[in-house]
Amino acid sequence: MTAEEGFGDTIQFVRYASLLAARGAQVGARVQPALRRLIAGARDVTHVHEEGERPDGYDFDVPMLSLPLLLGTRLETIPAQVPYLQVPQACAASWRARLGGGLPQVGLAWAGNKLHRNDHNRSVPWQVFRRLAGVPGLAFHSLQVGEALPEMRADPCGVNDLAPHFADFQETAAAISAMDLVVSVDTSVAHLVAALGKPVWLLLPLAPDWRWLLGRCDSPWYPTMRLFRQTQPGDWQDVITRVADSLSAGQRDWASKKGLLFCKKEAKNF
């Protein structure tokens, strides 16, 4: 199986290795270099190769995004068992120690790749998104990398910038494994969090990408994902207000119950 689109697409569709393995296949994955270490830990992937490599010993080479059609996927048969990506225990433990305990840990990602043709619709300006960092009783960490970082670094609002620690997606995944929740726009981070089986709140434009469907606040692809949709084109202020209110409610629940915030069981009921 060969990656053919962006990082998020690879993370989403590598799950189909399990369906191929159930049919008796030995599954190799050819992926982007930044994903190689992460995909090496994917369920039922036996070998990982980088883009451009031409490994021997395979009978078929299938584009990842063709697998749902080839395997007859319907809405009710989407393979949504998570987690299907794993983080080495030592890496996860290192990040738990680095982030510390006490308050619930919340990751943030507000922008995608500016070269994406729909990025102007899916990314949120930091000056709008930063309002979430004002919700009290939570520890916030930036999972953002790339061109959107300078604006946040000039006005961090107490958000912990983790970008210097991210050599590849496996390191990002290890950081996410130590968090209670991630709030993200429609970019690879959201797919990564959900593939790890961690709670993620996804912010969507009024006209979203096809995979998120319409008129629902959950995703059949990811059981720990909650969707926050625009109700008017371009109106992120309303979305951020609803997310901030939900964060405040979740923090109050955590404070009163003195337990973990945004656990998987709760996320399924969103």
Side-chain angles (χ1 to χ4, degrees):
M1 55 197 299
T2 298
E4 56 184 313
E5 299 290 344
F7 295 127
D9 298 289
T10 303
I11 293 169
Q12 180 175 359
F13 291 100
V14 74
R15 71 182 70 198
Y16 277 88
S18 293
L19 272 67
L20 295 173
R23 288 161 171 78
Q26 294 288 316
V27 184
R30 184 163 51 205
V31 302
Q32 301 92 327
L35 285 172
R36 182 166 188 163
R37 285 204 305 157
L38 176 71
I39 299 303
R43 185 193 303 152
D44 293 314
V45 171
T46 58
H47 297 85
V48 180
H49 314 278
E50 290 188 10
E51 290 176 325
E53 293 183 13
R54 295 291 183 266
D56 296 325
Y58 293 98
D59 298 302
F60 303 97
D61 187 3
V62 183
M64 284 189 184
L65 273 70
S66 296
L67 288 168
L69 174 62
L70 294 173
L71 295 174
T73 301
R74 297 291 183 268
L75 189 65
E76 62 275 11
T77 64
I78 289 173
Q81 295 76 31
V82 296
Y84 56 85
L85 296 179
Q86 305 289 336
V87 174
Q89 292 185 0
C91 294
S94 174
W95 272 100
R96 285 194 297 271
R98 180 178 291 169
L99 297 187
L103 299 178
Q105 310 293 313
V106 180
L108 302 175
W110 60 92
N113 186 340
K114 290 186 178 298
L115 298 179
H116 190 286
R117 62 183 179 182
N118 195 45
D119 190 65
H120 63 288
N121 286 322
R122 65 174 183 166
S123 292
V124 181
W126 172 248
Q127 290 304 312
V128 176
F129 202 91
R130 67 189 288 277
R131 177 181 168 191
L132 300 181
V135 177
L138 303 172
F140 291 98
H141 309 278
S142 169
L143 297 167
Q144 190 68 47
V145 298
E147 297 179 14
L149 273 174
E151 189 177 9
M152 185 277 290
R153 286 173 171 170
D155 182 23
C157 305
V159 175
N160 183 20
D161 180 8
L162 301 183
H165 303 288
F166 295 158
D168 61 10
F169 274 89
Q170 180 168 285
E171 204 64 43
T172 306
I176 289 167
S177 72
M179 296 181 183
D180 298 295
L181 171 72
V182 172
V183 181
S184 176
V185 297
D186 184 8
T187 188
S188 56
V189 167
H191 291 278
L192 179 56
V193 180
L196 292 166
K198 301 287 289 185
V200 55
W201 292 359
L202 180 64
L203 282 55
L204 293 175
L206 183 66
D209 187 76
W210 62 270
R211 74 199 75 205
W212 309 123
L213 307 176
L214 296 171
R216 58 191 298 167
C217 62
D218 65 337
S219 169
W221 292 99
Y222 296 117
T224 62
M225 180 175 280
R226 178 181 181 182
L227 308 181
F228 289 80
R229 300 176 183 270
Q230 286 182 349
T231 57
Q232 298 293 330
D235 184 6
W236 288 117
Q237 294 284 359
D238 172 66
V239 176
I240 293 297
T241 295
R242 286 184 275 126
V243 173
D245 290 345
S246 294
L247 283 173
S248 295
Q251 194 282 331
R252 289 194 297 271
D253 287 345
W254 172 83
S256 62
K257 296 175 183 177
K258 301 199 182 297
L260 286 176
L261 180 67
F262 311 123
C263 70
K264 188 186 301 185
K265 181 177 179 180
E266 293 172 334
K268 288 183 179 179
N269 295 326
F270 286 153

